Amino acid sequence: MKPSSWGQAASVYLDRRVLAILFLGFSEGLPLALTGSTLSIWLREGGVSKTAIGLFALVTMPYALKFVWAPLIDRLRLPVMTRLFGRRRGWALVAQAGLMAALIGLGSTNPVTDLWWTAMLAVVVAFFSASQDIVVDAYRVEVLEEHQQAAGAAILVLGYRFGMLAAGAGALYLAEFFGWHVAYYVMAGLVAVGMVTILLNREPKVADTAESKAREQHVADWLAARPHLTGWKADLLAWIYGAVVAPFVEFMTRPAWAAVLLFIACYKLGDVLAGVMSAPFYVDLGFEKTEIANVTKLFGLWATIIGGLIGGVLVGRIGVLRGLLVGGLMQMLSNLGYVMLAQVGHDVSALAVTVALENVCGGIATAAFVAYLSSLCNTAYTATQYALLSSFYKLGGDLFGASSGWLAERMDWSSFFLLSTGGAVPGLLVLMWLMTRPRREEAVVKV
């Protein structure tokens, strides 16, 4: 049910469950910059080529492939941890402990002399970060009520940006005064924020939907008719179906499911193409690390906060699909700010305008996008389906983003960012087609 007023739509941010998502968003956002923009600056300062930096977008492929092991996290019980903390919280704590260790390992490398070790440890960081995302995203969808999902998406974006601020501006300041190794060790310590949040919040109670029970009963009946499949064989087949097959089958029985996946993969392509090369772009224009930190991280955070909160309220009032369209158009046009900056050159005021446009518009689009992904999940398979959907988004971004360095090498910055603006068009065209179809075909009614 949509809120009856703008004030009611905004009041949902005061709910304790929604506020908890702020800290879990921080936990999700922290590792991303450490294998993305922050790492790109470290690489560029070490003389690594733009083409190689662009290829480093591939180290985050675990985010795109996390649907492969999401069924294990969705259904597999961990010894001791599940009994002590519950299914979601137990897995979260294990993923966060692995993430802390991986960040310490990444911070101990030297990309100038050991680039392959840096890349390998960055992949390990991305793996544990993606595993944490699987759990946290499922927890968010399950612990919030349906009318809170848009606000939860917006507050997640806010916390996510706080995490990226810590790993962006915070890491750059630490690297400036204490070196890159210390910066990454401190970031590893901040993983504790997510661990404490998990420990202080309850395990969500989630019941299977009527549809999921019917599907799994069908498998039980099938096994009962085949007495040779008994014991551990029957248990294994039933588990594989419930954990791996059923989430994908359920999604692929929906009308227009292929178009939905295509939209998810394409929606933020223009934003990703510009984002991968933004840090090298700033360095090439002559901006110092402190200037980048002050404007793109500190100032940019508040622009993102405004955009994310507006996005949450906007989606609550006008609906998810129209919110996606408004946010997508704004996000596309915001890339023109980079074209302006390329023409102006090293000018802090112009940088601030560019960052404000990109972050406000991107915050609105991201809040709508996360709410959309959440609305597509059947609560019986939350972790697996959300991982599948977000993986398609990440896969499109990784494959497109990996080519960004090659493109930037072959054209001037103005032309490159004009190209990135056009990258948003395919996703918006698919969205407009989806908007002509009944909403029930793209969403799951939670039971």
Side-chain angles (χ1 to χ4, degrees), residues 219-220 222-238:
V219 175
W222 185 85
L223 291 171
R226 292 161 176 78
H228 63 286
L229 295 175
T230 58
W232 68 270
K233 293 181 181 179
D235 292 340
L236 178 61
L237 286 173

Side-chain angles (χ1 to χ4, degrees), residues 70-72 74-75 216 238-248 381 384:
L72 295 176
D74 214 356
R75 294 296 184 98
E216 295 184 25
W239 187 89
I240 290 174
Y241 182 86
V244 181
V245 178
F248 298 104
Y381 315 116
T384 301

Side-chain angles (χ1 to χ4, degrees), residues 53-219:
I53 293 173
L55 290 173
F56 252 76
L58 295 176
V59 305
T60 61
M61 281 297 287
Y63 291 104
L65 300 174
K66 62 186 177 182
F67 68 90
V68 174
W69 67 93
L72 295 176
I73 293 177
D74 214 356
R75 294 296 184 98
L76 187 65
R77 294 176 61 86
L78 289 170
V80 183
M81 296 298 290
T82 300
R83 178 173 56 83
L84 290 177
F85 301 105
R87 178 179 57 161
R88 299 301 185 210
R89 297 197 306 155
W91 269 107
L93 291 170
V94 168
Q96 288 161 343
L99 176 60
M100 185 180 291
L103 283 172
I104 292 173
L106 177 58
S108 300
T109 66
N110 185 341
V112 177
T113 58
D114 301 307
L115 188 60
W116 284 106
W117 276 107
T118 301
M120 185 182 73
L121 267 298
V123 171
V124 176
V125 169
F127 171 79
F128 282 111
S129 177
S131 300
Q132 177 190 228
D133 290 354
I134 293 170
V135 188
V136 170
D137 290 334
Y139 182 92
R140 172 179 54 80
V141 174
E142 292 169 355
V143 80
L144 298 180
E145 297 177 23
E146 188 171 357
H147 74 278
Q148 297 174 318
Q149 292 296 337
I155 209 74
L156 177 79
V157 173
L158 173 59
Y160 203 91
R161 290 291 182 164
F162 275 122
M164 293 186 70
L165 173 67
L172 291 178
Y173 281 128
L174 288 169
E176 181 74 16
F177 296 107
F178 303 104
W180 286 106
H181 301 305
V182 171
Y184 271 75
Y185 297 154
V186 173
M187 294 302 109
L190 289 179
V191 175
V193 171
M195 301 178 80
V196 171
T197 303
I198 287 294
L199 291 171
L200 292 179
N201 285 275
R202 65 177 178 83
E203 179 78 4
K205 295 180 180 179
V206 179
D208 289 338
T209 64
E211 183 182 12
S212 69
K213 290 180 180 178
R215 287 182 182 278
E216 295 184 25
Q217 183 59 48
H218 176 73
V219 175

Side-chain angles (χ1 to χ4, degrees), residues 266-271 328 331-332 419-429:
C266 294
Y267 182 61
K268 294 179 75 68
L269 286 185
D271 188 54
Q331 181 177 255
M332 179 179 69
L419 177 65
S420 74
T421 302
V425 173
L428 291 175
L429 291 177

